[in-house]
Amino acid sequence: MGNVTTYCQTCRDVEVVEFLSLGDQPACIFLEDHSEIEQEQSWPLDLGFCPRCSLVQVVQPVSERILFSGDYHHLAGLTGGYRRHLRELAEVLAEFHRARPDHGSKRYSAVEVGSNDGSLLDELAKHGFDVLGVDPNGTESPGGSPVVKEFFSAEVASRLLRENGPADLVLALNTLAHVTDLADFLAGASTILAEDGTFVSESHYLTDLLDTMQYDFAYHEHSRYYSLTALQVAFGHHGLEVFHVERIPTHGGSIRVYAGFAGVHEVRESVRELRGAEDALGLTDAATYQRFAAQVQKHRTDLLDLLDKLKGDGSRVAAASSPARAVTLLNFCSLGPDDLEFVSEISPRKIGKLTPGTHIPIRHQEHLCAPDQPEYALLLSWHIVDEVKSRLRAEGFVGKFIVPLPEPKVLD
């Protein structure tokens, strides 16, 4: 970790306290072949926290225009569990708007920033919303939901406001961690949001990250890791007030936060309860993060010892799935082709490529389930272990599973 003074990305005048270095890490850009290795870039992935607002952040973030300028690998609608999550969210938001006094007298509009493949937009459109996505790598969805292929900003929001009017609903699912300039992003959200509108975000929850050792969720595409406390401070700078919060299971533990302009919505008990719980956890205390850092170092040793033992017994080991979070785990633990024969995948955007940094070949899932299959599969999407196990068993994998986190273990 470096000696350069870094200030909190939200508070701006508070020095970040560094607590964990995950080494030099590449972006989550899958290589076409070995000829691209020499051009691959990596940057220090050091984490720090703000002793005022508790925001955990990458100390030297990499610009989103470097990380997201290519063909982004993630497809929101690829897994069945997340598709269900989006359908359920659309129903919740539709019910929320059906309770508004002006329901029936107008069509509601929704803008999703970071709309990806448009899966959520399509679900909202089924409930009668006029929808629009904003995403530099977004695609028009199967349902035809439109997308503006730009990086969202206050300037872009002002233009969209002129062209389409204010949005009753602004959405940012797993997006707030990705943006380089959070202040500009939130300025844009408050610009395009209707006076009585709702800004709904979902973010990986800091306490779940700490409790379940999810250091693999720290990667360059994620500049920040949020508590409710940190979000309240960030939103408050732009006149936004959190009025409801829910803990949800996606991505190993997230929070869904509802906000609007201050004083417009009644603040619910859920906000006071979660904020009180956070105050009791010591999220602005250095000791909290020092304990976590020590556990991370121990985890690397434990995982490598387990894999060495299995391979020493003559077992073959491959990995299953390659989410973005796997980049950190594989690189921090220095796991390459000598340790894992291949990584199996179902995403056409990854099959046939090499994992970032570690350069393990990515093959179709059928290779893991072939007659000549390895004895063990390391589950890199361990946060959805039941779904991945079920899919692999159905496809014919008969070996054992290695779950790397929160602590390495073998499952039948």
Side-chain angles (χ1 to χ4, degrees):
M1 290 184 276
N3 296 317
V4 178
T5 300
T6 304
Y7 292 94
C8 175
Q9 297 173 27
T10 295
C11 296
R12 302 296 180 97
D13 61 346
V14 180
E15 291 186 21
V16 169
V17 179
E18 298 183 37
F19 64 91
L20 176 64
S21 177
L22 293 167
D24 287 350
Q25 296 270 356
C28 192
I29 299 173
F30 294 85
L31 280 62
E32 294 288 345
D33 53 50
H34 286 85
S35 66
E36 295 186 346
I37 291 177
E38 289 188 4
Q39 286 74 46
E40 190 174 31
Q41 292 181 275
S42 61
W43 303 267
L45 186 61
D46 300 333
L47 300 184
F49 77 99
C50 175
R52 178 189 292 168
C53 75
S54 82
L55 180 67
V56 170
Q57 52 209 277
V58 174
V59 175
Q60 295 177 296
V62 181
S63 170
E64 62 188 347
R65 295 180 183 273
I66 294 175
L67 300 172
F68 299 105
S69 292
D71 182 20
Y72 189 47
H73 58 87
H74 178 67
L75 294 173
L78 191 61
T79 64
Y82 199 67
R83 287 196 301 272
R84 287 192 298 274
H85 170 74
L86 296 179
R87 285 196 298 271
E88 292 167 1
L89 173 58
E91 176 58 41
V92 167
L93 295 173
E95 183 65 27
F96 176 81
H97 282 78
R98 281 194 287 268
R100 285 180 42 150
D102 58 0
H103 177 66
S105 63
K106 63 173 290 188
R107 285 179 63 89
Y108 298 119
S109 59
V111 173
E112 184 184 9
V113 184
S115 54
N116 196 262
D117 61 6
S119 295
L120 178 58
L121 295 176
D122 281 356
E123 295 297 332
L124 288 170
K126 293 175 185 176
H127 288 282
F129 285 85
D130 293 325
V131 298
L132 177 68
V134 184
D135 190 322
N137 290 298
T139 58
E140 184 176 287
S141 65
S145 296
V147 60
V148 175
K149 294 188 177 183
E150 296 184 55
F151 287 97
F152 186 72
S153 65
E155 181 181 355
V156 170
S158 295
R159 191 189 76 230
L160 295 178
L161 178 64
R162 292 193 300 271
E163 295 173 352
N164 304 300
D168 299 293
L169 181 62
V170 176
L171 297 136
L173 271 59
N174 308 299
T175 301
L176 296 180
H178 291 116
V179 297
T180 302
D181 189 339
L182 181 62
D184 184 52
F185 183 96
L186 293 176
S190 61
T191 294
I192 201 169
L193 186 66
E195 290 185 4
D196 58 351
T198 305
F199 174 41
V200 178
S201 65
E202 291 184 0
S203 301
H204 194 256
Y205 190 35
L206 176 61
T207 65
D208 287 314
L209 184 151
L210 297 173
D211 289 344
T212 54
M213 282 291 295
Q214 295 188 52
Y215 71 86
D216 62 333
F217 208 68
Y219 47 92
H220 285 302
E221 285 79 0
H222 283 182
S223 296
R224 299 167 213 88
Y225 312 91
Y226 294 102
S227 62
L228 172 60
T229 305
L231 287 171
Q232 286 178 310
V233 172
F235 288 3
H237 291 320
H238 301 275
L240 297 171
E241 179 181 51
V242 175
F243 66 87
H244 181 46
V245 62
E246 300 170 329
R247 296 187 68 170
I248 54 177
T250 55
H251 303 295
S254 300
I255 51 172
R256 179 183 297 154
V257 174
Y258 298 76
F261 289 111
V264 172
H265 303 273
E266 181 182 358
V267 178
R268 303 182 187 179
E269 187 62 27
S270 60
V271 177
R272 288 182 281 269
E273 288 180 354
L274 192 58
R275 181 58 189 268
E278 289 185 0
D279 290 344
L281 288 175
L283 296 183
T284 57
D285 185 349
T288 300
Y289 302 98
Q290 290 166 352
R291 286 193 297 271
F292 177 76
Q295 292 169 341
V296 170
Q297 299 295 339
K298 181 179 183 300
H299 173 269
R300 176 168 59 179
T301 299
D302 292 346
L303 178 59
L304 292 177
D305 286 348
L306 173 60
L307 293 175
D308 285 345
K309 179 180 182 300
L310 296 177
K311 292 180 70 66
D313 293 340
S315 297
R316 296 166 56 209
V317 183
S321 76
S322 188
R325 64 196 305 158
V327 175
T328 297
L329 181 68
L330 294 175
N331 282 274
F332 179 65
C333 295
S334 301
L335 296 175
D338 291 338
D339 307 288
L340 303 168
E341 290 187 13
F342 59 87
V343 179
S344 71
E345 256 294 346
I346 59 174
S347 171
R349 295 190 179 185
K350 302 174 187 177
I351 295 170
K353 298 183 179 181
L354 302 174
T355 58
T358 51
H359 312 139
I360 305 169
I362 302 175
R363 299 178 180 173
H364 194 281
Q365 181 176 280
E366 62 190 16
H367 288 272
L368 185 64
C369 303
D372 183 27
Q373 60 185 244
E375 287 82 9
Y376 291 88
L378 176 66
L379 298 181
L380 298 176
S381 290
W382 62 272
H383 57 295
I384 51 171
V385 58
D386 291 337
E387 179 175 345
V388 177
K389 279 183 59 181
S390 176
R391 185 177 73 224
L392 291 174
R393 288 292 189 230
E395 293 295 325
F397 181 70
V398 298
K400 295 184 178 182
F401 299 99
I402 304 169
V403 180
L405 288 163
E407 59 183 33
K409 61 183 177 181
V410 176
L411 301 178
D412 291 325

